[in-house]
Amino acid sequence: MIRIEQLTTRQGSFTLGPIDLDLGESSYLTILGPSGAGKTLFLEACMGLLTAHSGRVWINGTDVTHIPPEQRHISYLPQDLALFPHLGVKENILFGARHRKVDKELAESRLGELLDLLDLHGIVNRHDVTSLSGGEKQRVALARALLPGPRLLFLDEPFSALDATIRRQLQVSLREINRQLGVTILHVTHDQEEAFMLGERIAVMIAGRLRQIGDRDNIYYQPESLDVANFLRNQNIYDTTVAAIAADGSLQMENSITGAPSYPGAQVGDHVAVGIRSEEIVIIRSNKPIGPELQQNLFDGTVKDILAFGGTHTLIVEVLSTGTCVDVELPNCAMRDLGYNIGDELQICLRRHSLWTIKKEVNDVAV
Amino acid sequence: MIRIEQLTTRQGSFTLGPIDLDLGESSYLTILGPSGAGKTLFLEACMGLLTAHSGRVWINGTDVTHIPPEQRHISYLPQDLALFPHLGVKENILFGARHRKVDKELAESRLGELLDLLDLHGIVNRHDVTSLSGGEKQRVALARALLPGPRLLFLDEPFSALDATIRRQLQVSLREINRQLGVTILHVTHDQEEAFMLGERIAVMIAGRLRQIGDRDNIYYQPESLDVANFLRNQNIYDTTVAAIAADGSLQMENSITGAPSYPGAQVGDHVAVGIRSEEIVIIRSNKPIGPELQQNLFDGTVKDILAFGGTHTLIVEVLSTGTCVDVELPNCAMRDLGYNIGDELQICLRRHSLWTIKKEVNDVAV
Amino acid sequence: MLRRDTIFKGAMLLPLVVLCGYFLLLVGSQSAFFSMTDFLEQIGQKDIRSAIALSLIAATASTVIAVIIAIPAAYALARIDFPGKRLVDTFIDLPMVLTPIALGTLILMSWNTSIGRLLSDIGITLPFTFAGIILAQFTVVVAISVRMLKATFEQVDPRQEQVARLLGCSAFESFLHVTLPLARRGILAAIILTWARAIGEFGATVMVAGTARGQTATLPSSIYLAMSMADLPRAVTLVVILIGISLLVLFGVRMVPESRG
Amino acid sequence: MLRRDTIFKGAMLLPLVVLCGYFLLLVGSQSAFFSMTDFLEQIGQKDIRSAIALSLIAATASTVIAVIIAIPAAYALARIDFPGKRLVDTFIDLPMVLTPIALGTLILMSWNTSIGRLLSDIGITLPFTFAGIILAQFTVVVAISVRMLKATFEQVDPRQEQVARLLGCSAFESFLHVTLPLARRGILAAIILTWARAIGEFGATVMVAGTARGQTATLPSSIYLAMSMADLPRAVTLVVILIGISLLVLFGVRMVPESRG
């Protein structure tokens, strides 16, 4: 559908890329990154609103690198929506049909479909788009983008200004649009929940580069670089050194973690970071039998602090042998059952299949 | 420490209040609300930056309603920090000491303490505050606010621009400042995680009013109005009618939910909303014995859709008897064990001690 | 309790009050010399009426020409990147800081170059003609027009134009169907203020076109003539007319209908 | 492939190019009449040198007075709410849309009211004096100064002032230690542009103070005198000086050091 090859561009002192990306028919990719990572710039470069310094963009096999934006047939929903304030709701939605010279009857029938799909019948005759609510504006802008029947839809943080309930409704609509209309979607966001829920694949962009592309589990559980791990709120990251390589290929670390996954070219003595999600850590309850997978990486510790969130608690556990702190996340129901207090002693297990390993480059610094 | 009584103010067409609030010595209150709820306006009215239309503000027993801001001895960290760009780091931090005529030696010793506490030694001699990183600016602004030794600190979305790792560090610092220095903190945020983690008590502000004040569990599990429930992402909210009042005082609903908590003046025939957190719903596994608390509110359903997030999945379960949809949240580890697919049949339990009930006013509309 | 704040506010407001008082004094001072009978008699005179007509026509013509050139020029400065843009952007302000007297002198001098002689040969003469008035006014006001319109175009969100492009508009269509409608309030304000500046123009006009009664004497020139001949009733009449126009302009600009955007 | 875009850009850039060309032609046209020997000879003459000195001193004096009044007035308009603010804000622009000729006339007329007579009695006379020049220039430029400074103060984040208040500053201390330092770049630019407007002022000055050679003839008045006597070498010299000042001002304003904020 769309293929991007070694695309670079610049704005002021910020450099984007080089970026390579390949999106298939009807796929849904979210690009997740902190603000200032260059996400919007990347979309602009793909759409031809910004001149690419180098690299190429193909759409449906055609090289569009030097084609003006209006001939690329990409629909775009910018973060601020950019509804036309001088036009009414219906005129806004039909703007694309008018300028793309879509057949009038076809435009009307598509309009009908979109009014159904996005539940716009109640407001389609409103003249003043500035008086619409946030969710209504969003739906109008989405209808405007979809009316020309695009095969490629670019979304830039489309839901950041909406409250949770309306956001969920629109997210579900987007999934349907992707599946039913077969529209390929490239969706940029800084919201992890949104990126994970909507993207079939997720690309993490940091400082103008795509640092990792993969499915949910890959991005969430197997970060490939420290900045991705940090951005995705991995709280447990430990610097250590490879002490030995086991027969099954897994790594044994100086800090006594064993069974960590290996990486290409792993050698004893490599400086690495080992990490684990705080909700993947198991607290061993002495009165229960433990399975074979919980026989490894057992550490005794004391509860140093307890952070309470809405639906979860995080125990900060200090490991007795090394003095390092481990974040252990518990759902409230587990916390209610176990009832830990600061100072309590417990045993935790860093399950080997939940560990990740990243080889540290010389200039990597753990935050 | 600070007491607010029937405070109201206005800006343009927006009306704030009336608001009542009472904060004790060394307490930590977070005010949680969507953007545009009037959170900043409320802080401004308390600080005297905005004239109160009516109501009074007491600090330490003194009525300060008509006292200018500089004499209220409140320290303030605004969202954009507002560091003074024409002054260096040290001059910024010492600005308050200079204008509050703090004794020079005392100021120097406090400066030393704050440099330690906030890890600012590396940048204290920088001249250009605009070149600092986001986290550094934040720490400098915090040091500037703390240097005059305030007993009351107002924070306005202090961490919204920071990435997760630095945010966590600063959140932990804030807890320490609150506990060690005994500073009373009033912290405004739209971030639920932050509000729950930091606030001893949490006040929910929506549309210029404090809609609920309580501790974590109260706010999270027992919303007192539908707009609070919606804002706090309660996905399962059902409109129904009270069918009967049980002997133990709990309510039985028309939609066959039983054991819901009562409310003052509950009567058969009242229109109510009943809700439950999606992670509080239990999936009954037929091969396991179920305790007495899981004998009530059992519903058979089919999995209509599965939403995958980073660390959790949400099953959308359609209840067979009524056709309503229930969101059921599962941590990934449970999802891995159970392995549900769309179309699967299962039995869910809405545990009675996790339910909440809100009596619907005539003009309440469920979203 | 709020005394220090009140004193500060008062101290800041005082100069504003003094200034307004001074302006009110100025505007009111003509009333000592104003009489309705004189005013009506003056208004009835042919050369005053021709000065009014001349001023209105010339200011309107020079404004139209200035805005037609300024709209694309301002858009280019606001949106298009080109080498030397900073230099051009600075240089285009020249007529705003150079005294109109010098501008008028330069217009006259340029008429003595080969280009001017060429135009004279084909019958277009500037000095002491209606065309001269228009060129003088145009030269003085076009830069102001560009400056105001540039600010207006900068306030139009480029996202709107970009979305229009992606919905099928060419750059020109997007300018026509999105930028201009969104900028219409600012354009209207710019037209009014440009016109006000043109009708009040004196220095360049007097240098290029002179002050021939009934021929090239605009309203400001006529005041100058009246005062130099100590014809107070006429001067008062003209001043009152110009004050009226100015107040209309000032309050008219504020009342340009808010665009929906 | 990008041809339509290129044509559009070209079409929007063309008027800008034409305009720049026209201004360059104007500035260059004096070169046909310019000779270095004439210039140096003219510069050596006493009445030209006194016109230069008079212009510099008067423009500086009127700018200083205007800015001293405009800073608090502009701050009040930017920050303080008071009843009738919209009206005051509109009315204060009057000298910007009323022709200086009319303003000069109004100053003269106001001098004939009881206030003026009172001042005359204690020895302060305006018409045809140095004080008259300053008052005329002040009247024309003070509104521009207020307008520019208001925009400057509006760009200072009120949060900065508020934080200063909460750190112990009174309203005045916060203005002094925070607002003024943060606004210094805009204030400097406003001073320069106000001064440029004052030194080029002709209409009001000529009405109030006349054009007495060596006494009240400023640079613009001297050009007018020179042209009316067809003294081209003198006119060219004066125009070149004013062009030089204008270019210095234009590029000077752009080079005001960026404040750190």
Side-chain angles (χ1 to χ4, degrees), chain A residues 40 44 47 49 69-70 74 76 78 80 82-86 95-96 99-100 127 130 144, chain C residues 157 159-171 173 177-178 181-182 184 260-261:
Chain A
T40 300
E44 287 175 351
M47 293 184 288
L49 297 175
E70 66 269 27
I74 301 173
Y76 176 42
D80 57 5
L83 288 176
F84 301 126
H86 59 299
F95 191 92
H99 291 280
R100 287 224 176 278
H127 289 296
T130 59
R144 181 181 65 177
Chain C
D157 184 2
R159 268 297 168 240
Q160 311 258 15
E161 298 170 6
Q162 294 174 343
V163 166
R165 294 296 299 271
L166 290 157
L167 289 168
C169 288
S170 67
E173 287 169 336
H177 297 300
V178 175
L182 290 180
R184 65 182 185 282
R260 271 195 263 159

Side-chain angles (χ1 to χ4, degrees), chain D residues 156-233:
Chain D
V156 174
D157 184 1
R159 267 298 168 243
Q160 312 257 17
E161 298 170 7
Q162 294 175 342
V163 166
R165 293 297 298 271
L166 290 158
L167 288 168
C169 287
S170 68
F172 177 68
E173 286 168 338
S174 133
F175 176 72
L176 203 67
H177 297 300
V178 174
T179 316
L180 283 184
L182 290 179
R184 65 182 185 283
R185 185 167 189 264
I187 292 173
L188 194 52
I191 290 173
I192 294 175
L193 290 170
T194 302
W195 185 83
R197 187 77 188 74
I199 210 165
E201 213 298 302
F202 173 65
T205 309
V206 83
M207 289 303 284
V208 176
T211 55
R213 262 205 180 187
Q215 284 178 48
T216 59
T218 59
L219 285 173
S221 310
S222 301
I223 295 178
Y224 184 69
L225 281 177
M227 287 299 279
S228 62
M229 293 185 298
D231 183 350
L232 221 58

